[in-house]
Amino acid sequence: MASVIISATLILRDSGVVPSHPMDQHFVESVDLAIRYTKGNWTFHYPALQNSGGITSSLIAGIYKLIIPTSKTNLNWHIRILAMVMYLGSSWWMIRSLISAAPIRILAYLLICISGFQFIQPSSDLFAGSFFNLSLVALRQAWPVLITSLLLAIFGLTKVDMIVAAIMIAVLWGFWEQQKGRQNPERLALFTFGWLLLFLAPAFLIQGSDPLAGNRSLLAFMSAYTEFLGYHQFTGIPAAAGIDTMKIAKEAIFPGVNNLLDIVTKYPQLYFDFVAVSAARSLPNVIHAGKLLLFPLGLVVIQNKKLSTLRPFLIILLLAIGCTLIPAWLVIYVRLRYVVKLFPAIVVIVVGGCHELSTTNKWAKPILWTCGIGTLAWEGYFLRDMWQYSHFK
């Protein structure tokens, strides 16, 4: 409760006005789920999957605005506090579900709330992290398949790449259920797929947005490309990644391309140059996100076969990391906020995993506490920065 109250107080010290386009947080203001009758026609604008808020976050923000009175001057406070409460609340629930020892539960939660990730904008990353946390809780506590699959689907609909993660998690869990001899192990995957279709269907059936509308991958690529390589490969083109600059660069450097696949196939050398620069740009953000926890995380991954209850959840986490961070590396670069949705799960697996390993590895707990306390100090040093510059991460 203290962490939620303090976090809400800090959010209220920031502006309640939603950042203007093209900031991704702008989805909070632009989403509109109201049904209107104008000029003889009913209109209902269902959110597109490739919008900055995805379908899940747009539906949450849209429904919230329909129920709770908001204004232009306070809307961002409402959505940011809602996202923060869901993020921290689901993280604590996951900690209690996956970690048995009380002292390290406190360490895990402090690592999450002092990180400052609950201030990150866009709020869609916090919503994604919240539903990923709840999905792990549902799997751990064996919730009814209908509810577990719904949570996985909602998580999947936060971003295009998360759909792949949700389906693969459901399939993988079904495989483990089959190995245990459980009845109907395929139900989770089938129900998850069904929920995904159900949420995507309105975009096809109702007047509004195509769920796959837009070409965000090409736009994201050109934005990063002009930012990274503008000074080196362009002649007479400014390096700032504005829309006009990206159009000029696309015509000058990648003539005849319509999507990212065209760039990969027609200009492979230029693309691989970009991938190398993207990796170099991503590495500091990954280190800043994980901090000293990267060391115990490596220990848990290396000795994963010695884990008992947490091994399936480690594999799920690695799968989610692959579906989230690898596409970011290949299309733009790994920004700090891309790790936010997975950070609570990383903390829980690291802390709980080291606790499980301590029965066979005498160094597991000392490494955990040393790196954990060091990370808390590192997080505390940057906490003010995380709050003040939440939408630039």
Side-chain angles (χ1 to χ4, degrees):
M1 288 300 298
S3 65
V4 168
I5 292 171
I6 293 171
S7 297
T9 301
L10 290 173
I11 290 173
L12 289 172
R13 290 180 62 183
D14 201 352
S15 173
V17 178
V18 178
S20 60
H21 183 78
M23 297 300 297
D24 283 349
Q25 181 72 359
H26 188 65
F27 83 89
V28 171
E29 187 170 60
S30 59
V31 64
D32 183 6
L33 299 183
I35 301 174
R36 293 185 174 87
Y37 185 77
T38 53
K39 297 181 181 180
N41 293 309
W42 289 98
T43 59
F44 173 53
H45 297 283
Y46 195 76
L49 186 57
Q50 293 204 46
N51 286 351
S52 59
I55 289 180
T56 294
S57 302
S58 296
L59 287 177
I60 291 173
I63 294 171
Y64 185 93
K65 291 194 295 183
L66 289 176
I67 298 173
I68 307 296
T70 61
S71 68
K72 192 176 182 66
T73 58
N74 65 25
L75 175 59
N76 212 35
W77 286 337
H78 282 261
I79 302 302
R80 288 186 65 191
I81 290 175
L82 173 64
M84 176 272 295
V85 171
M86 289 181 61
Y87 187 73
L88 293 182
S90 63
S91 296
W92 178 241
W93 198 348
M94 179 174 59
I95 288 169
R96 291 183 60 86
S97 298
L98 273 69
I99 299 178
S100 57
I104 59 173
R105 282 180 178 175
I106 297 172
L107 173 64
Y109 188 71
L110 288 175
L111 286 167
I112 294 169
C113 67
I114 297 179
S115 70
F117 285 164
Q118 67 269 31
F119 303 122
I120 286 290
Q121 299 180 76
S123 299
S124 54
D125 288 307
L126 299 183
F127 288 132
S130 300
F131 284 106
F132 185 61
N133 296 344
L134 291 174
S135 296
L136 296 186
V137 172
L139 292 171
R140 179 69 179 91
Q141 297 186 351
W143 288 7
V145 174
L146 193 65
I147 297 176
T148 305
S149 59
L150 174 60
L151 291 171
L152 280 173
I154 294 174
F155 162 66
L157 291 168
T158 54
K159 298 288 182 184
V160 175
D161 46 337
M162 293 297 96
I163 285 185
V164 177
I167 294 175
M168 291 181 68
I169 289 170
V171 171
L172 191 60
W173 194 264
F175 173 76
W176 287 325
E177 293 284 277
Q178 184 181 39
Q179 296 293 101
K180 296 176 184 177
R182 304 282 173 79
Q183 292 184 342
N184 303 316
E186 74 285 350
R187 287 193 306 162
L188 183 61
L190 292 176
F191 275 87
T192 301
F193 189 70
W195 280 119
L196 289 170
L197 291 178
L198 184 63
F199 280 103
L200 289 170
F204 292 107
L205 302 177
I206 301 174
Q207 181 179 345
S209 300
D210 183 327
L212 299 178
N215 195 356
R216 286 180 60 84
S217 59
L218 180 59
L219 181 64
F221 173 84
M222 289 308 307
S223 172
Y225 194 90
T226 52
E227 178 186 351
F228 294 168
L229 305 174
Y231 289 113
H232 307 285
Q233 294 191 5
F234 309 157
T235 302
I237 299 176
I243 297 296
D244 293 337
T245 302
M246 288 187 282
K247 288 181 179 179
I248 296 171
K250 177 175 171 291
E251 294 172 359
I253 310 300
F254 304 106
V257 302
N258 297 310
N259 51 56
L260 184 59
L261 183 60
D262 286 345
I263 290 178
V264 176
T265 55
K266 295 180 180 179
Y267 303 94
Q269 187 59 56
L270 293 179
Y271 175 72
F272 289 127
D273 289 345
F274 167 82
V275 168
V277 176
S278 173
R281 180 65 180 270
S282 300
L283 185 59
N285 289 336
V286 172
I287 294 174
H288 185 36
K291 300 180 173 63
L292 298 180
L293 291 181
L294 294 175
F295 293 105
L297 175 61
L299 175 65
V300 171
V301 171
I302 292 171
Q303 298 192 341
N304 72 90
K305 292 185 178 179
K306 296 181 180 180
L307 297 176
S308 53
T309 60
L310 288 183
R311 188 166 186 264
F313 298 96
L314 170 63
I315 296 173
I316 287 174
L317 174 62
L318 295 177
L319 178 62
I321 289 174
C323 291
T324 302
L325 303 188
I326 291 177
W329 163 48
L330 297 177
V331 175
I332 178 168
Y333 66 98
V334 179
R335 301 181 65 176
L336 189 62
R337 66 181 179 87
Y338 296 166
V339 186
V340 167
K341 62 178 70 71
L342 305 175
F343 184 71
I346 292 173
V347 169
V348 168
I349 297 302
V350 166
V351 173
C354 284
H355 177 66
E356 290 188 3
L357 290 176
S358 64
T359 57
T360 57
N361 186 335
K362 66 178 182 179
W363 294 105
K365 278 192 175 180
I367 290 174
L368 170 64
W369 282 101
T370 301
C371 293
I373 293 172
T375 298
L376 287 175
W378 191 341
E379 289 177 340
Y381 181 80
F382 283 102
L383 182 58
R384 182 181 179 87
D385 179 75
M386 293 298 297
W387 163 61
Q388 286 186 318
Y389 305 104
S390 61
H391 55 287
F392 294 112
K393 300 298 182 181

